[in-house]
Structures are given as structure tokens and as C-alpha cells.
Amino acid sequence: MTSKRDPGDFATGLIDGRRSPAELDLLSARDRNAVIDQLLTSAAGRRWLRNSELLDANLAHQLLEYGDDFRQSRRDSSLDPVIGAAEPEQLVARAGAVAAGSAAPVLWTRLAPLPEALSDAVDAVLASEDSQAIEATATHLLLDPANPYRIDAGQRERIAAAILETDVDSARGVAAEFLSSTDPERLASDINRLARDVSVRVRGFSWLAAFRVDRDRAMDRAAELLGDESLDVDVRRSALNTAGEVMSTDRVIELLAYFVIHPSEALALDAANLLHRHHRHPDIAIAAAGSPHEAVREIANRLMDPYRGSPAAGGSRPGDPLRTDPLLKIMRQIEDEKTRE
């Protein structure tokens, strides 16, 4: 028979159901605290406490000390009452662990109506340098445009700006995406740095913001960056693709005509794909036909094919009322000669 005075046995009895919570109330305060201390030493015991009527702010504070319980990605509904019972300052102190796990939505729902506590919690997460927590925080607070936590727009922008300064690539990408639509001037003003970010997502959304704020100025900066052969190819690809997506054909003819013959196959193929998707112009297509890269030449030849090509790129196709290109005339002449023979 389990002894009432053995805290370990009593705790085990509560966990496996051999003892009822009512029996705990019959113990002295000292013995009851000893049992609670025993329950805190095991994951099963802490889960029992989280679901018990003993839970109050003091016990919640103790349970929050076990950060690994909260960091798990598997959903555990027993964590939610702890967040509900804890004082805001206790949640702020353990925000790094809670924000990384499945209980993060409950944490932000609890703190969202308290702007100062919310700000302190985000600061605590960023100070922890925990990449899992920082990425999850960016996802929860910034990614959803519906703003499910009803956080003030200005505060979300401040949170995004802070996350943009972290070392977590995925989180910075979310922050840049958010700011590109809510505060593009912030990204545009720092485009020289952000255009060289290691994250392709940060570079892309920063360029989009810069073009949204001042298209001509952004184009000049993109051209300047693209002309720097010392820069990493991926950095230059972000500038090239964004310029090709947002600018009119007449503004990028020379740019694309230059890059379809560039020694870097990645840059040349990006330019050729932009030619194919958006900017079918003869000058670009003719340059692409002379590219040192086979994949680029294939795109150009397909666009300039006299039977299947694009009239805008200098080619033609059956049924085109403007089939007057020289190549087609030559082919027709050859066909006529063969017919006469």
C-alpha cells in the first residue's frame, strides 16, 4: 500500500490514477508541497500538474522553468492553461522557449492586448538568438496578412524591422516580405545593404520595395549593381530578375541584350527567360541567338522560328498577318525553287 508520507509514491499514484486529487488536499501543506516537487521532476508529473486544479500563477511560474516542455513542436493542449495562468512578466521571461513551440499562438494571443509586454517578449525572443523561436515569431506575427492577433500596424512594423536585423535568414525573409507592402520606404532606403543580403527572399522583396518607391532610381541602382562583376552571381540575379519583372521592355532592352551573352550561364539564362516571358524584342532575341550558352540560344531560336516563333521577337508563325520577316522570305524562295525544279 502506498504511503501518504512518501512524496514519490504519492506522486506516482496521482499520475497513474491510483490516488485522487482530493487525497492531496488531505495532506499537510508541507507534505503537499513535497508531492508537488516530486511531480515537477518528471514530464508526466508536470503534465498532470498542468491539467490540475492546483494550477495558479505561482505553479505556472515553476512549470515555465521547464523550457523543453514548451519547445516541442507536437501539440500539447496541457501547455495552454499554464500560459493563461502565468503573469505577463513570467511569460516575457520565458518567451524564448514558449515562442519556439506549439503553444506560441496561445502566448501571442495572451500578450497581444498588452503592447508593452508583447514588445518585451519579442525583444526577449530576439535576444535569445534562438533561430527556431525567431523564425516562429516572424511567421506568427507577420506572415498572415489577416493579422489574427490584432496587433497594431505600427507595432508590427517595428517588430518586422527588428527581425530584419537578426541572423536568421528565413525570419528576415518574412520581415522583408511584410515591410515590402507595409513600409517599402524602409527597405528602399537601405537597398544598398539589403540588395547584398545572403537571403534571396530578402533581396527580392527589398528590390520590389525599391522599385515601388522610385522606379527610375531603383533601376539606376540595379544597373550599377549589375555592372559590378566582383559581386556574387546570386546577388546580381536578384537585381536582374526584379528589374526584368517590373520595368517596361523599352527600359530593359540593352540590359537583357547584354546579359543573354554574359559568361555566367545563370545570368544569361535569367535574361533569356525574361525575354521569353515578358520582353520579346528583336534586339534581345538576336543577341540571345549568339549567346555562348546552348539553353539561351534554344530560347532565341524558338522565338525567332519563322513558323512557330513570336512576331514581337522578330519571328513569325502561321496565320500571322505581318509575316514579312526576311528569313521567311528566303525560306519561301527556296521552297519555290524546289517546286519549279
Side-chain angles (χ1 to χ4, degrees), residues 43-56:
R46 294 192 295 275
R47 185 176 295 108
W48 188 91
L49 287 171
R50 293 196 295 264
N51 286 315
S52 74
E53 295 184 359
L54 297 174
L55 186 62
D56 57 13

Side-chain angles (χ1 to χ4, degrees), residues 43-335:
R46 294 192 295 275
R47 185 176 295 108
W48 188 91
L49 287 171
R50 293 196 295 264
N51 286 315
S52 74
E53 295 184 359
L54 297 174
L55 186 62
D56 57 13
N58 180 57
L59 182 56
H61 186 199
Q62 293 177 275
L63 291 166
L64 283 169
E65 296 295 319
Y66 297 87
D68 288 343
D69 290 351
F70 291 86
R71 290 184 59 83
Q72 60 183 328
S73 58
R74 181 177 57 83
R75 185 76 179 99
D76 184 349
S77 60
S78 72
L79 301 173
D80 301 353
V82 178
I83 297 173
E87 298 292 341
E89 57 269 21
Q90 297 169 352
L91 295 174
V92 169
R94 296 299 172 189
V98 181
S102 63
V106 183
L107 170 70
W108 300 123
T109 299
R110 173 78 193 284
L111 295 181
L114 308 170
E116 186 174 347
L118 176 67
S119 180
D120 290 343
V122 172
D123 289 344
V125 171
L126 301 187
S128 73
E129 298 183 352
D130 184 322
S131 58
Q132 181 180 341
I134 293 172
E135 180 180 2
T137 298
T139 301
H140 283 296
L141 302 187
L142 304 177
L143 192 59
D144 192 339
N147 188 15
Y149 301 104
R150 301 294 183 266
I151 302 172
D152 175 78
Q155 186 162 26
R156 290 182 88 196
E157 290 177 6
R158 289 190 292 274
I159 291 171
I163 292 176
L164 193 60
E165 301 304 316
T166 69
D167 293 329
V168 183
D169 295 354
S170 54
R172 290 202 318 281
V174 173
E177 180 177 352
F178 176 81
L179 290 171
S180 70
S181 59
T182 62
D183 190 8
E185 291 83 2
R186 183 186 294 272
L187 299 181
S189 65
D190 200 16
I191 189 61
N192 288 335
R193 177 177 70 93
L194 297 175
R196 293 166 171 77
D197 196 278
V198 296
S199 166
V200 63
R201 193 174 183 184
V202 171
R203 296 195 304 268
F205 281 107
S206 296
W207 275 119
L208 284 174
F211 276 100
R212 183 176 293 124
V213 171
D214 188 332
R215 182 164 297 195
D216 292 334
R217 182 173 175 79
M219 185 63 193
D220 290 341
R221 290 188 174 184
E224 180 181 350
L225 183 145
L226 285 166
D228 187 348
E229 295 290 344
S230 67
L231 288 176
D232 184 81
V233 167
D234 287 338
V235 169
R236 300 169 78 197
R237 290 181 69 189
S238 294
L240 177 63
N241 279 293
T242 309
E245 290 287 342
V246 304
M247 298 302 289
S248 61
T249 297
D250 63 296
R251 291 296 307 276
V252 296
I253 292 173
E254 292 185 6
L255 184 70
L256 296 184
Y258 173 82
F259 276 102
V260 290
I261 60 173
H262 194 276
S264 166
E265 185 173 6
L267 284 167
L269 194 54
D270 282 347
N273 285 327
L274 288 166
L275 159 69
H276 187 271
R277 292 197 309 269
H278 303 300
H279 307 291
R280 296 187 175 185
H281 191 279
D283 290 356
I284 309 172
I286 292 170
S291 174
H293 309 291
E294 182 180 357
V296 175
R297 294 196 301 273
E298 288 179 357
I299 292 174
N301 292 333
R302 185 164 62 250
L303 290 177
M304 298 175 69
D305 186 289
Y307 291 106
R308 297 173 300 169
S310 167
S316 188
R317 56 175 176 264
D320 174 23
L322 301 176
R323 294 176 69 185
T324 59
D325 54 280
L327 181 58
L328 179 58
K329 288 182 179 180
I330 293 173
M331 294 188 68
R332 279 184 172 176
Q333 290 172 3
I334 293 173
E335 290 174 354

